């Protein structure tokens, strides 16, 4: 899922703190997200300074899980177990890709990077964070080892495309084996995906982590130069000014799930790390959130509008 923070950064501070609250079935803006949280607190995890709601419950966070991959990569670089300039064959990266399942993220990453026969490992990581390429995440997991991610997430972090092959591709082996065999074959397969309801049921079972743990990971990444340069990619968008508001973020979406793991830094204030995960969203509500990116507006507004933050905290107490 791509972000639109470049536009958001120039507009969110102008949103009034009062006004008509949208119906919670339509996630059109930050007020609507707050209304939805009030109506569905059991389907929301929100962890930030001063708020810890469902922080210890294993929760599907979609592609926000990729910050655990990023943390494992940063650790490997720090410990000399990986080099950012390590060459990765594009053919190998492509072999991890499941066409038609990632919203065009893989193709968008290739278009941005315009690689030859190979890319650097750091470029693969950039594709995982910036375009949210699932193939990049699974390749990186294999490169670093699943144990490295488990150590950071305090739970197993599975392969994304392996889980899809197992759920929707007819593979009856464990997900890791499904992906290993798919990569070895080197033949792209376009899955026929089922309807929203079945995909949403599957989305409840994957990319699960405790939001409180994820926030701790995010706080560490903010201080790490290898990781923060990737998370702060929105600051390269038009209108972004890190002197006013610095943002590092990784969001995610699967049917029924929308998430955001974001840190914000404002002059004269302590940095804030926030993890938001909405789950079991009805189809129409989910699609409205995917169009509006209201969850991003919500997180930024919490960080920049004390009155709004107080209302959010009151809604969850």
């Amino acid at each position: 899922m791509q972000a639109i923070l470049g536009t958001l950064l120039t507009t969110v501070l102008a949103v009034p703190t009062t006004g008509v609250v949208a119906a919670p079935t339509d996630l059109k803006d930050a007020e609507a997200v707050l209304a939805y949280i009030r109506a569905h607190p059991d389907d929301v995890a929100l962890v930030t300074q001063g708020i810890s709601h469902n922080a210890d419950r294993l929760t599907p966070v979609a592609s926000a899980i990729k910050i655990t991959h990023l943390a494992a990569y940063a650790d490997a670089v720090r410990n000399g177990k990986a080099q950012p300039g390590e060459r990765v064959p594009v053919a190998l990266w492509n072999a991890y890709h499941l066409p038609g399942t990632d919203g065009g993220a893989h193709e968008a990453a290739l278009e941005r990077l315009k690689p030859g026969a190979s890319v650097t490992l750091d470029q693969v990581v950039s594709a995982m964070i910036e375009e949210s390429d699932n193939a990049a995440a699974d390749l990186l997991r294999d490169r670093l080892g699943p144990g490295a991610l488990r150590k950071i997430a305090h739970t197993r972090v599975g392969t994304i495309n392996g889980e899809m092959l197992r759920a929707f591709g007819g593979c009856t082996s464990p997900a890791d084996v499904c992906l290993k065999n798919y990569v070895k074959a080197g033949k792209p397969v376009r899955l026929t995906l089922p309807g929203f309801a079945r995909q949403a049921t599957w989305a409840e079972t994957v990319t699960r982590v405790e939001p409180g743990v994820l926030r701790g990971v995010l706080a560490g990444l903010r201080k790490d130069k290898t990781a923060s340069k990737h998370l702060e990619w929105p600051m390269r968008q038009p209108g972004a000014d890190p002197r006013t508001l610095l943002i590092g973020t990784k969001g995610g979406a699967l049917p029924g799930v929308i998430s955001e793991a974001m840190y914000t830094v404002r002059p004269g204030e302590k940095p804030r790390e926030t993890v938001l995960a909405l789950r079991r969203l009805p189809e129409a509500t989910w699609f409205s959130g995917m169009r509006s990116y209201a969850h991003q507006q919500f997180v930024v507004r919490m960080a920049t509008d004390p009155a709004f933050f107080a209302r959010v905290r009151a809604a969850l107490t």
Side-chain angles (χ1 to χ4, degrees):
M1 181 180 70
Q2 289 233 351
I4 54 169
L5 286 169
T7 300
L8 182 150
L9 287 170
T10 62
T11 61
V12 68
L13 297 181
V15 177
T17 59
T18 60
V20 177
V21 176
T25 54
D26 181 8
L27 300 182
K28 68 178 184 178
D29 55 24
E31 291 287 352
V33 175
L34 175 55
Y36 190 87
I37 287 173
R38 285 198 187 103
H40 305 278
D42 290 343
D43 293 333
V44 174
L46 179 59
V47 189
T48 189
Q49 286 89 329
I51 299 175
S52 182
H53 181 71
N54 289 327
D56 301 329
R57 183 182 68 186
L58 278 176
T59 301
V61 297
S63 282
I65 195 72
K66 291 170 184 170
I67 70 170
T68 64
H69 299 64
L70 179 61
Y73 168 69
D75 283 350
V77 171
R78 190 181 309 112
N79 297 327
K81 296 180 179 179
Q83 297 295 328
E86 175 183 328
R87 303 307 298 186
V88 177
V90 171
L92 175 61
W93 183 14
N94 287 337
Y96 279 85
H97 177 49
L98 275 176
T101 63
D102 65 357
H106 184 68
E107 291 81 3
L110 292 174
E111 174 61 25
R112 173 174 62 86
L113 295 171
K114 294 179 171 56
S118 68
V119 292
T120 66
L121 185 62
D122 201 65
Q123 287 175 316
V124 171
V125 172
S126 79
M128 178 184 73
I129 299 299
E130 187 163 340
E131 284 84 16
S132 203
D133 179 25
N134 293 337
D138 285 343
L139 186 157
L140 187 65
R141 179 183 181 272
D142 278 355
R143 168 63 180 81
L144 302 175
L149 275 67
R150 177 191 285 270
K151 181 179 178 181
I152 289 164
H154 299 174
T155 189
R156 180 181 182 275
V157 179
T159 60
I160 300 170
N161 285 342
E163 294 287 357
M164 295 194 73
L165 286 164
R166 188 170 185 271
F168 310 124
C171 180
T172 57
S173 300
D176 285 9
V177 177
C178 292
L179 184 62
K180 180 180 179 180
N181 291 339
Y182 177 75
V183 172
K184 184 177 180 180
K187 297 180 180 179
V189 172
R190 186 171 290 271
L191 302 183
T192 300
L193 297 177
F196 181 90
R198 185 178 165 194
Q199 289 190 59
T201 298
W202 166 78
E204 282 284 309
T205 68
V206 296
T207 66
R208 302 200 321 155
V209 68
E210 292 182 11
V213 170
L214 203 64
R215 177 177 173 260
V217 174
L218 184 65
L221 295 178
R222 179 179 57 78
K223 303 171 187 176
D224 185 279
K225 290 183 179 180
T226 299
S228 61
K229 73 172 185 178
H230 290 297
L231 289 171
E232 291 169 13
W233 70 270
M235 306 315 298
R236 300 194 298 269
Q237 293 192 9
D241 184 356
R243 296 169 300 178
T244 302
L245 179 64
L246 175 68
I247 286 180
T249 193
K250 181 72 196 84
L254 287 172
V257 176
I258 293 177
S259 65
E260 199 75 30
M262 181 189 295
Y263 61 74
T264 55
V265 184
R266 301 182 77 194
E269 298 181 6
K270 291 183 179 180
R272 176 180 293 277
E273 301 91 16
T274 302
V275 173
L276 171 68
L278 308 175
R279 59 192 283 260
R280 296 195 293 201
L281 291 163
E283 184 171 1
T285 306
W286 183 80
F287 273 110
S288 72
M290 293 297 292
R291 289 191 298 268
S292 69
Y293 287 90
H295 58 288
Q296 292 181 342
Q297 299 175 29
F298 175 87
V299 173
V300 173
R301 191 168 168 195
M302 276 204 310
T304 57
D305 183 342
F308 185 75
F309 178 87
R311 292 168 58 207
V312 174
R313 183 164 58 185
L316 292 172
T317 57

